[in-house]
Amino acid sequence: MAENFSAGDTEIIKFMLECLDNKGYLSESVESVAAYFHADPLHIEELLGRLQELDPAGVCARNLEECLRLQLKRRQMDTPVLLSLSL
């Protein structure tokens, strides 16, 4: 992820990375991160999406379902049939 983020975005990204639990899940909600930084939740979602592009696939997911969806997407296996299966 070699991008030029603003100082504010870098701060938010560092915060979210520090909020990962021992399984790599984001332990804070997007809304709470947005409130903490007085930011738009949609912007936090965008930053989270960038973090979710990191390796390993599924890191920074908010739960198991999202983790598996990210892994399917990374392998280009995110077909409607597979995505419709519930855990």
Side-chain angles (χ1 to χ4, degrees), residues 1-13 43 46-51 53-54:
M1 186 166 59
E3 298 197 24
N4 293 320
F5 292 103
S6 70
D9 286 352
T10 300
E11 190 84 18
I12 294 168
I13 288 168
H43 183 65
E46 290 173 17
L47 294 175
L48 178 58
R50 299 309 315 255
L51 288 175
E53 294 173 1
L54 297 173

Side-chain angles (χ1 to χ4, degrees), residues 12-67:
I12 294 168
I13 288 168
K14 286 180 181 179
F15 179 82
M16 287 194 289
L17 289 173
E18 290 173 3
C19 291
L20 297 181
D21 67 14
N22 62 350
K23 294 179 183 177
Y25 293 142
L26 184 64
S27 61
E28 292 290 327
S29 70
V30 166
E31 293 77 19
S32 66
V33 174
Y36 183 80
F37 286 97
H38 307 289
D40 182 356
L42 291 176
H43 183 65
I44 302 301
E45 282 283 352
E46 290 173 17
L47 294 175
L48 178 58
R50 299 309 315 255
L51 288 175
Q52 290 174 338
E53 294 173 1
L54 297 173
D55 287 327
V59 71
C60 299
R62 289 165 276 196
N63 54 48
L64 178 59
E65 181 179 356
E66 185 176 42
C67 179

Side-chain angles (χ1 to χ4, degrees), residues 52-82:
Q52 290 174 338
E53 294 173 1
L54 297 173
D55 287 327
V59 71
C60 299
R62 289 165 276 196
N63 54 48
L64 178 59
E65 181 179 356
E66 185 176 42
C67 179
L68 294 174
R69 287 178 186 268
L70 290 168
Q71 291 176 22
L72 287 172
K73 183 178 178 182
R74 182 78 56 92
R75 292 179 178 221
Q76 298 177 345
M77 296 172 57
D78 54 343
T79 64
V81 172
L82 285 177

